Amino acid sequence: MKKVSRDITEVVDNYLCHSCGSCFSSCGHDCISYETTTMGYLFPKIDYNSCTNCGLCFDVCPGDHFSIKLKEKTKEIDPFIGNIKTTYVGYSNDKEIYNNSQSGGITTEILRYLLDNDIVSAAVVTVMNEEMSASKAKIITSSKELKLSQKSKYLPTNLNSLVPELLKIKGKIAVVGLSCHIQGLENLKKIKRKLNDKLIKIGLICEKIMLNSSLDYFTNELSIKTQQIKEFSFKDPYYTKYPGDISLVTKDNNRFFLDRKYRKNMKDFFTPIRCMLCFDKMNIYSDIVLGDPHGIDNINDESGENLVLIRTEIGTKIIEEMMKLKLITLREVSTDDAITGQGIEKKRKKFNSYINAWKNLGKKIPDYPQSVFDFSIATDEKDIKKSEMHIQSAIELDKIQNKDEILKKARHYYENKNGKKTFFRYFKKIFR
């Protein structure tokens, strides 16, 4: 079929896809499915035999552009920070939730409160799939289902693909998502008007995720096949010091750990290209935002606590009621300290560096609000060249069709990185 309108294939080809799932929910003809590349990108694919060329999948894509309403929300604010009413640090008072949490268990406690008090009819969370090879979004209607969603899943998740199912549910829905998911939901409101006033948006602070191939790498380093795994955690502070090592449990109930330095040192290798171009680490369009309390004094760094940012009246009402009920213990802290601890000044520079690198490579710049560019901080040519090399290297990695070859390059990268060679010197070596 001859293409008339722009569609999501253009976004995928330009590596601007977030894997958020918004395009899937825009399609009324079931033309869009998802495929995982060898490197681990989760990309939508159009069946052009069924496609009507309506262009809606492109229209709602937050990877390429923001809707007019979303741009309006960004006017007169610093988009790297957003509006923050109150900043807290704390933890859940439920010992089971707290002990099973990655940080303070506040996200899970919020969902339990909302579900148990019928404030929402359902919640959207992220869990690992049955094969432990990727993450997936799940709709839950009971707080008894929350345990499997605890701890962050640093993997591509097409969470917004559940929107058609959400619209069938009466009442409000709580959604726990990354900034790209929240942006996609805002874009979808243009064609899915029933989403307006239906969602309570609980955002997670996110610098970047890791591609699905990172799971293969970590399990391979432990000489364990994914088929043997029943639990996987990128950060497990219960058995090792906060923020925790990588841990997994096999089906015969043996627990294994991989030092956190593997996670830290391999982040750049497994970073999706689109994450390099994202400004919204702080999830500015959410009602409540949660993350790790970097830069805050007197944190419980043995068991962990959550940073909690309140952005809206809805968020304020939820948190204040939970404190009255003694479901959570929170103390107010300095917003400036929290923002400094999240490294936002560095983020402004990194964003500027990668956007200019992307432009130098002749790529399409995402249609962000102008304030995003205005509030970034200019960097020098040396940093931009490093960013160009990172992008080019990531594109080359995605061309590899053999998983063993990717694991070999990943292992080589880790050995060089751990030996204090820089990321960029390493990529010069493996791709020359």
Side-chain angles (χ1 to χ4, degrees), residues 182-349:
I182 304 302
Q183 293 162 11
L185 290 170
E186 291 296 317
N187 273 7
L188 275 166
K189 288 179 179 179
K190 178 180 177 181
I191 62 169
K192 306 286 186 183
R193 295 182 181 179
K194 289 183 179 179
L195 284 176
N196 288 290
D197 301 319
K198 189 176 183 68
L199 304 177
I200 295 176
K201 297 168 291 185
I202 302 169
L204 304 177
I205 293 174
C206 179
E207 177 72 29
K208 52 193 170 187
I209 60 171
M210 302 178 80
L211 294 167
N212 284 324
S213 55
S214 64
L215 283 174
D216 296 305
Y217 171 73
F218 294 138
T219 54
N220 191 264
E221 289 302 293
L222 289 168
S223 300
I224 296 171
K225 298 182 183 298
T226 54
Q227 300 93 312
Q228 299 173 271
I229 302 171
K230 74 171 186 178
E231 293 179 22
F232 183 92
S233 176
F234 280 95
K235 295 180 180 179
D236 188 348
Y238 188 66
Y239 294 93
T240 58
K241 187 179 177 181
Y242 176 82
D245 292 332
I246 298 168
S247 77
L248 60 85
V249 179
T250 55
K251 291 177 180 177
D252 56 3
N253 291 318
N254 288 314
R255 186 177 291 272
F256 297 85
F257 294 95
L258 192 63
D259 194 285
R260 68 195 69 186
K261 67 184 180 183
Y262 280 86
R263 181 183 65 242
K264 181 179 179 180
N265 287 345
M266 297 306 293
K267 279 184 177 180
D268 283 341
F269 187 91
F270 290 112
T271 298
I273 293 168
R274 187 60 182 81
C275 289
M276 303 176 197
L277 308 173
C278 179
F279 72 93
D280 192 10
K281 174 179 180 176
M282 301 303 290
N283 219 319
I284 65 171
Y285 305 108
S286 297
D287 296 304
I288 302 170
V289 179
L290 299 113
D292 291 322
H294 304 302
I296 304 298
D297 291 334
N298 302 315
I299 292 299
N300 181 349
D301 56 7
E302 182 175 339
S303 300
E305 293 184 90
N306 283 123
L307 175 68
V308 183
L309 307 177
I310 310 301
R311 297 197 179 278
T312 65
E313 291 299 327
I314 293 172
T316 298
K317 184 177 180 180
I318 291 169
I319 293 301
E320 287 183 352
E321 186 61 27
M322 289 179 68
M323 285 194 287
K324 286 179 184 177
L325 295 172
K326 300 189 184 303
L327 299 175
I328 52 178
T329 295
L330 297 179
R331 63 187 183 280
E332 191 168 347
V333 297
S334 163
T335 298
D336 288 342
D337 288 349
I339 295 303
T340 300
Q342 293 299 323
I344 297 305
E345 295 307 294
K346 182 179 179 181
K347 180 65 178 176
R348 297 180 199 275
K349 294 178 182 178

Side-chain angles (χ1 to χ4, degrees), residues 97 100 107-116 123-127 138 140-151 153 176:
I97 288 176
N100 191 53
T107 306
T108 304
E109 193 65 75
I110 291 172
L111 294 179
R112 186 173 74 159
Y113 164 72
L114 294 174
L115 287 165
D116 287 354
V124 181
V125 297
T126 301
V127 299
K138 182 179 180 180
I140 63 171
T141 56
S142 169
S143 60
K144 295 177 181 178
E145 303 174 79
L146 284 170
K147 186 173 182 179
L148 287 177
S149 70
Q150 283 198 269
K151 303 184 178 73
K153 316 296 187 293
V176 180

